[in-house]
């Protein structure tokens, strides 16, 4: 446990990084420069293009520093992060080595004239704690760093969205609602987080819904270049989205676009059980075309009376440049509501009696959380994956 003075020094220092022009980018570049200078062999673990790597590194640091005094949140996150790094060929010794490089990077950022022994001690103790938690988890994990899988089906439902089905070499024991990271042959050493859209099964079948992200490295290749027979690597599962059946409360699920996938997997898993809480699923998108899996969800609701599915779009019509056919809403489905998803959901109240899950793009999750908070929704009732 870190003392208040140490936390204050580290947080103040990192706040200065975030406030400076190009501060996060400079810190990240300095970190990797120090790391590769001290350990040249580490460069082979990383992709040639480091832009996304640096951005994710700074975001992870910001989250960790914000939550350092909340062991119940930060410790599981660090342990998951340590285990997840194994897919790159990294072990505990590599993770501990990063502590020294980051201290050196921060010293370079602030300059020797303001660097003191107290500041160095604060950063050293903090980063030793962070890297140590990650290293212990990485070295103690008994699962393989990743599994192999073969693409057996690739359906391009929209011009920018594909459903990909794979046959795993060995079944992965993930819980519905968790996510994994994948590496594809078109983009070696670049990993992308995806949520399985079906529950785990003994046959080793897995399904992903992937939307092409503008400017992305991996998702455009998955949507546009993946073919049957491609070999993927799939990492161990992460995340904790789930319906806690020990809590006698109904559930509100809010999906944006392909954020439907982890909610869909949970609903499919619940459909195999005899008793379930009531579930209201709001599936949303910007345009009608974004409701790409309405037919499946409607069929699930017909055979499971505890499930209510409500379609929502911000726009009434698809954009003029949209080339793919728009999936039709099934006859008899709840009529489509219009507006930003957070505003639509909160028109029905605060949902304070529900356990809530929000899944979608980072911007969709942020705006929805803001809307829920504004109407008094208890935030301790809300689950979402890290942004």
């Amino acid at each position: 446990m870190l003392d208040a003075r140490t936390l204050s020094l580290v947080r103040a220092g990192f706040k200065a990084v975030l406030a400076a022009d190009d501060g996060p980018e400079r810190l990240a570049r300095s970190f990797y420069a120090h790391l590769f200078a001290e350990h040249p062999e580490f460069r082979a673990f990383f992709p040639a293009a480091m832009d996304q790597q640096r951005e994710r590194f700074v975001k992870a640091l910001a989250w960790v520093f914000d939550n350092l005094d909340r062991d119940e949140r930060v410790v599981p996150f660090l342990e998951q992060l340590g285990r997840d790094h194994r897919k790159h060929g990294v072990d505990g010794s590599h993770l501990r080595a990063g502590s020294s490089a980051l201290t050196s990077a921060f010293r370079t950022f602030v300059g020797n004239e303001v660097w003191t022994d107290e500041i160095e001690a604060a950063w050293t103790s903090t980063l030793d704690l962070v890297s140590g938690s990650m290293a212990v988890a990485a070295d103690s994990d008994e699962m393989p760093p990743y599994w192999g899988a073969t693409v057996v089906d690739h359906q391009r439902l929209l011009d920018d969205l594909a459903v990909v089905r794979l046959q795993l070499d060995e079944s992965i024991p993930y819980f519905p609602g968790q996510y994994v990271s994948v590496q594809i042959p078109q983009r070696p050493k670049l990993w992308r987080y995806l949520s399985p859209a079906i529950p785990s099964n003994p046959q080793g079948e897995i399904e992903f819904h992937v939307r092409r992200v503008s400017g992305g490295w991996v998702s455009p290749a998955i949507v546009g270049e993946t073919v049957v027979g491609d070999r993927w690597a799939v990492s161990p599962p992460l995340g904790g989205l789930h319906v806690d059946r020990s809590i006698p409360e109904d559930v509100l699920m809010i999906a944006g676009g392909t954020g439907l996938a982890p909610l869909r997997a949970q609903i499919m898993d619940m459909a195999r059980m005899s008793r379930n809480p009531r579930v209201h699923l709001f599936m949303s998108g910007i345009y009608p075309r974004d409701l790409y899996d309405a037919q499946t969800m409607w069929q699930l609701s017909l055979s499971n009376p505890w499930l209510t599915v409500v379609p929502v779009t911000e726009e009434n019509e698809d954009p003029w440049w949209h080339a793919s056919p728009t999936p039709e809403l099934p006859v008899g489905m709840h009529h489509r509501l219009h507006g930003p998803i957070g505003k639509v959901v909160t028109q029905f109240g605060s949902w304070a009696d529900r356990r809530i899950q929000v899944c979608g793009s980072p911007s969709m999750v942020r705006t929805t959380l803001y809307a829920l908070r504004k109407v008094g929704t208890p935030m301790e009732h809300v689950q979402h994956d890290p942004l």
Side-chain angles (χ1 to χ4, degrees):
M1 189 70 179
L2 300 170
D3 60 72
R5 176 63 176 170
T6 297
L7 284 172
S8 176
L9 287 171
V10 170
R11 284 172 169 168
F14 193 71
K15 186 177 180 180
V17 172
L18 297 178
D21 290 340
D22 202 28
E25 174 73 10
R26 282 192 287 138
L27 180 69
R29 285 185 178 276
S30 181
F31 164 70
Y32 286 110
H34 282 287
L35 183 66
F36 298 153
E38 296 172 17
H39 304 278
E41 69 278 11
F42 284 15
R43 186 62 182 89
F45 296 138
F46 296 90
M50 293 285 291
D51 293 3
Q52 289 187 345
Q53 182 72 28
R54 288 191 290 267
E55 182 181 355
R56 290 172 181 161
F57 172 72
V58 173
K59 286 182 178 179
L61 277 182
W63 192 93
V64 168
F65 291 154
D66 280 346
N67 291 275
L68 275 173
D69 52 351
R70 302 176 65 181
D71 286 355
E72 75 281 2
R73 294 193 70 187
V74 76
V75 172
F77 176 81
L78 291 172
E79 290 175 347
Q80 282 198 352
L81 201 59
R83 291 190 291 267
D84 190 42
H85 272 70
R86 296 170 61 241
K87 68 193 179 191
H88 301 291
V90 168
D91 61 24
S93 64
H94 301 110
L95 295 169
R96 288 188 173 92
S99 175
S100 171
L102 185 53
T103 301
S104 299
F106 187 72
R107 184 192 303 115
T108 300
F109 183 89
V110 301
N112 290 328
E113 63 276 6
V114 297
W115 187 260
T116 66
D117 291 343
E118 185 183 24
I119 292 175
E120 175 149 9
W123 275 82
T124 299
S125 59
T126 299
L127 296 177
D128 283 350
L129 178 65
V130 169
S131 63
S133 297
M134 294 172 62
V136 169
D139 288 340
S140 61
D141 193 4
E142 296 181 355
M143 284 199 288
Y146 55 82
W147 287 263
T150 303
V151 175
V152 294
D153 187 37
H154 178 273
Q155 295 185 24
R156 194 161 178 175
L157 300 186
L158 302 171
D159 52 346
D160 63 347
L161 190 150
V163 171
V164 186
R165 298 182 178 94
L166 300 103
Q167 178 67 54
L168 294 156
D169 295 346
E170 182 181 347
S171 181
I172 298 177
Y174 63 85
F175 294 108
Q178 289 191 296
Y179 58 93
V180 298
S181 56
V182 304
Q183 180 183 236
I184 64 174
Q186 293 85 357
R187 300 292 185 269
K189 296 185 181 179
L190 290 176
W191 293 79
R192 164 82 188 270
Y193 290 115
L194 298 175
S195 294
I198 59 173
S200 177
N201 61 66
Q203 294 75 36
E205 299 158 338
I206 195 167
E207 176 180 314
F208 298 112
H209 299 176
V210 185
R211 168 151 264 149
R212 184 181 65 223
V213 176
S214 179
W217 285 86
V218 178
S219 62
I222 293 178
V223 173
E225 301 174 31
T226 294
V227 296
V228 171
D230 279 354
R231 290 285 294 170
W232 287 22
V234 183
S235 79
L238 301 167
L241 281 183
H242 69 289
V243 174
D244 189 345
R245 303 182 70 84
S246 68
I247 300 175
E249 291 181 347
D250 293 331
V251 180
L252 169 64
M253 294 181 170
I254 308 171
T258 54
L260 175 67
L263 307 182
R264 179 188 195 264
Q266 291 177 80
I267 290 170
M268 286 182 168
D269 189 56
M270 294 169 70
R272 300 186 292 196
M273 303 175 189
S274 58
R275 295 174 62 88
N276 285 296
R278 286 186 303 158
V279 176
H280 269 80
L281 168 67
F282 286 80
M283 53 184 299
S284 72
I286 304 298
Y287 302 106
R289 73 190 196 117
D290 296 325
L291 306 177
Y292 66 94
D293 204 31
Q295 184 68 48
T296 300
M297 304 317 300
W298 174 235
Q299 291 297 324
L300 282 168
S301 73
L302 289 178
S303 55
N304 295 280
W306 46 266
L307 174 63
T308 300
V309 179
V310 182
V312 181
T313 61
E314 294 188 25
E315 303 290 341
N316 281 320
E317 298 180 357
D318 286 318
W320 63 268
W321 42 260
H322 173 53
S324 304
T326 297
E328 294 289 337
L329 290 182
V331 176
M333 191 174 190
H334 191 291
H335 68 278
R336 180 159 50 93
L337 304 182
H338 301 102
I341 182 60
K343 183 177 181 180
V344 171
V345 169
T346 54
Q347 285 176 348
F348 295 92
S350 68
W351 303 87
D353 61 338
R354 301 291 181 106
R355 293 286 159 172
I356 302 172
Q357 296 184 23
V358 184
C359 297
S361 68
S363 61
M364 174 268 175
V365 173
R366 289 190 190 97
T367 56
T368 303
L369 293 177
Y370 175 79
L372 291 169
R373 191 178 292 111
K374 189 175 179 180
V375 297
T377 304
M379 286 296 103
E380 62 270 19
H381 289 188
V382 181
Q383 290 181 300
H384 63 88
D385 284 328
L387 299 177

